[in-house]
Amino acid sequence: MKSFHVVFFRQRSKHNLFARSIQLVMNKNWNHVEIVVCEPYQLPINNDALSFGAIAPKSRKAKMSEVSEHYFFEKAIQLHTTVSDDAAMAILEHLLNKNYSFSQILLISMKILCGGLISWLPYVKLNLEKYLICTELVGVFMQEACSIRFEASPEMLTINDVEELAMKNIQRFT
């Protein structure tokens, strides 16, 4: 049985202003999130573990050895899936090779800056998986493979939202 983890990363490059601004606004040490799949009794930092993430220009699957060339591992939260391993992997495979969505980043920035002033903003469905960002990929996986329910659109999840949802998934099974 495979294990599935939400893994939070920090960009290695100190010159990536976009990544640093995410850390500053979210008040976290990390600025990127992916789903990492491990074999039984492996840790998500194992070089052979598979990581599924959305980065520009397209969502992709990579070994952790490749991911760690660009990102520092910061934190992992194991997910409890409610579907078979094959079904969970099929969900992740379906999310591959989607273009990165810069318009979603703009909308999420508006959501953060406006707080709750624009009540409909968290529910926006901009492009319905035609384009992805890292938090959406993880959110879709948590909805479909872990049966985690949330009101907001997966397209509008922040890194803080993803962390909160993953922690709720742990609490459901403890």
Side-chain angles (χ1 to χ4, degrees):
M1 187 168 185
K2 295 183 184 306
S3 62
F4 297 84
H5 304 261
V6 175
V7 177
F8 298 86
F9 296 98
R10 179 172 38 95
Q11 175 76 244
R12 283 188 181 271
S13 171
K14 293 180 189 258
H15 305 293
N16 186 324
L17 296 177
F18 179 68
R20 296 295 167 239
S21 63
I22 291 171
Q23 284 178 250
L24 180 66
V25 171
M26 295 284 96
N27 195 27
K28 298 289 184 186
N29 288 333
W30 47 81
N31 49 41
H32 181 65
V33 63
E34 298 195 7
I35 296 291
V36 175
V37 182
C38 306
E39 294 301 322
Y41 307 107
Q42 279 187 343
L43 295 173
I45 57 173
N46 183 295
N47 283 339
D48 292 328
L50 290 177
S51 190
F52 294 79
I55 59 172
K58 290 184 179 246
S59 56
R60 53 95 181 106
K61 169 175 59 174
K63 287 192 173 193
M64 276 298 289
S65 57
E66 298 167 42
V67 174
S68 63
E69 291 175 14
H70 304 285
Y71 295 96
F72 291 112
F73 173 92
E74 290 291 329
K75 177 180 180 175
I77 301 171
Q78 185 170 357
L79 295 171
H80 297 278
T81 55
T82 56
V83 299
S84 69
D85 286 358
D86 289 341
M89 292 302 289
I91 291 165
L92 290 169
E93 294 287 338
H94 169 75
L95 296 170
L96 295 179
N97 297 315
K98 309 279 184 178
N99 289 326
Y100 194 78
S101 176
F102 291 101
S103 54
Q104 278 177 251
I105 297 297
L106 179 63
L107 281 176
I108 290 172
S109 299
M110 284 176 50
K111 172 186 161 186
I112 292 166
L113 293 173
C114 295
L117 294 177
I118 306 175
S119 60
W120 52 265
L121 199 51
Y123 310 102
V124 168
K125 294 187 181 199
L126 183 65
N127 54 46
L128 301 172
E129 293 180 24
K130 292 178 189 166
Y131 301 88
L132 288 174
I133 60 172
C134 64
T135 54
E136 181 185 6
L137 183 145
V138 172
V140 168
F141 181 80
M142 289 193 297
Q143 273 187 331
E144 294 182 14
C146 304
S147 300
I148 297 174
R149 300 293 164 236
F150 45 93
E151 286 187 33
S153 165
E155 296 180 58
M156 294 300 291
L157 294 175
T158 65
I159 285 184
N160 290 352
D161 295 334
V162 167
E163 180 184 25
E164 183 180 312
L165 290 167
M167 292 304 291
K168 284 181 181 177
N169 178 257
I170 288 175
Q171 293 166 356
R172 281 188 346 186
F173 292 95
T174 55

